Amino acid sequence: MRRFGWDRKSDALVFSVNGNIPVLVSWTFAIPVVLPFLHEWSTRPKTALIHTSIFAALFFVSVFLHELAHTWVAHRQGIGTNRIELYLFGGVAYFKRGATSSYGWAWIAFAGPLTNILLAAFFAASYYLIAKPLAPVESDSLFSAPPPMPMTYLAWTLWIGAMLNGVLAVLNILPAYPLDGGVIARHLLARRFGEGRAARIVGFCGVVLSVLRFAVILPAAIAGILLWLPPSFKSNWRALRGIGRKKSRPNPEAAKAGADDVEWRGKGGRPINK
């Protein structure tokens, strides 16, 4: 695979990190970047271009660092990385076959949301210390405030950075597939209930959450904001029913990536037996 350029086979931009880990950025990664600003493009195209460009940079950095955190902690556990993919629903890190404890896998999964928590704290602190005094909007709380006016692009960037990473952290920590929280919960519960029952418990939580998410998606659509929220119903329903689980597996983290891979997904991300 090339070091940098466009890969026609996968329709993705390709570059490498750490010298030997290829990163593929699918064209579909642009869809969640553009969707929030569709209405603005029809009314204020110049402002929409600036907002979309800023959001694209923040979204890429947030998801990419989320996946890098997974790979860094995995490397500390002695597990290598085959590749990282960024696509429509976030990011995926494919790990080479390796063995570690349940707590080790849980820590690998938690590294992604932890990165987003730290980024959210950084952007929030920067907003209050640097940008807020310059913003025309006065409020007591970052998360209850409307975004700053378009003219204060620094404040808008820091506000969106804090909100974006806060949302990514919360979504990814939910106990459902294919989110990081699902992997964390499964590995911690498996120590007490066994792997099969732990997977079904997480699947049940995921089914409930996948239904409840429409309480956010539908009002947003009515308001003209198109968005997609995890978790997916299908993967959690399959886990709840125990579909696709083998009686004996040499590596409980084996995934559809192949016999030598482990798949992790994040919006920034999110892992599933993923």
Side-chain angles (χ1 to χ4, degrees):
M1 184 172 290
R2 66 185 66 187
R3 292 276 180 163
F4 181 85
W6 187 262
D7 183 64
R8 294 184 179 180
K9 184 177 180 180
S10 57
D11 285 330
L13 176 69
V14 180
F15 64 93
S16 298
V17 293
N18 294 334
N20 59 357
I21 301 178
V23 180
L24 289 80
V25 185
S26 169
W27 67 268
T28 60
F29 190 70
I31 295 177
V33 171
V34 175
L35 280 180
F37 306 101
L38 281 180
H39 177 70
E40 191 175 42
W41 274 100
S42 62
T43 57
R44 297 182 300 173
K46 182 178 179 180
T47 303
L49 175 61
I50 297 174
H51 284 170
T52 302
S53 300
I54 293 173
F55 186 76
L58 290 172
F59 191 62
F60 173 79
V61 169
S62 301
V63 175
F64 184 51
L65 292 181
H66 177 113
E67 298 304 325
L68 279 183
H70 286 316
T71 63
W72 183 79
V73 175
H75 177 74
R76 301 279 294 183
Q77 301 280 343
I79 300 171
T81 303
N82 279 336
R83 67 187 183 277
I84 296 173
E85 294 183 5
L86 305 184
Y87 72 122
L88 174 63
F89 299 123
V92 185
Y94 292 87
F95 296 124
K96 298 177 181 178
R97 183 179 294 278
T100 186
S101 66
S102 295
Y103 288 124
W105 285 117
W107 175 235
I108 292 172
F110 182 64
L114 177 60
T115 298
N116 293 126
I117 292 172
L118 295 176
L119 286 172
F122 168 77
F123 282 113
S126 299
Y127 174 80
Y128 274 110
L129 296 176
I130 301 174
K132 187 177 179 181
L134 304 177
V137 175
E138 292 292 335
S139 85
D140 296 329
S141 172
L142 169 70
F143 295 100
S144 65
M149 297 296 290
M151 65 184 71
T152 58
Y153 290 119
L154 173 62
W156 191 88
T157 299
L158 297 175
W159 188 88
I160 289 295
M163 293 296 294
L164 172 63
N165 280 280
V167 170
L168 288 176
V170 171
L171 288 179
N172 276 285
I173 209 66
L174 294 176
Y177 300 121
L179 306 173
D180 294 321
V183 171
I184 295 171
R186 178 167 64 86
H187 280 290
L188 296 182
L189 291 172
R191 298 178 64 88
R192 179 172 182 179
F193 299 106
E195 186 181 340
R197 189 176 179 185
R200 287 191 290 272
I201 293 173
V202 175
F204 173 78
C205 293
V207 168
V208 173
L209 290 171
S210 68
V211 174
L212 292 178
R213 66 183 172 151
F214 288 100
V216 177
I217 294 176
L218 293 179
I222 294 173
I225 302 174
L226 302 178
L227 51 79
W228 177 92
L229 293 174
S232 66
F233 180 85
K234 183 178 179 180
S235 58
N236 287 284
W237 179 248
R238 289 175 61 87
L240 177 61
R241 296 180 61 191
I243 297 175
R245 301 190 64 82
K246 298 180 180 180
K247 294 182 179 180
S248 176
R249 293 184 299 174
N251 181 1
E253 292 301 320
K256 65 183 180 183
D260 296 326
D261 295 335
V262 176
E263 179 184 359
W264 295 83
R265 296 180 182 176
K267 266 182 213 148
R270 330 354 81 202
I272 182 178
N273 199 6
K274 223 178 165 191

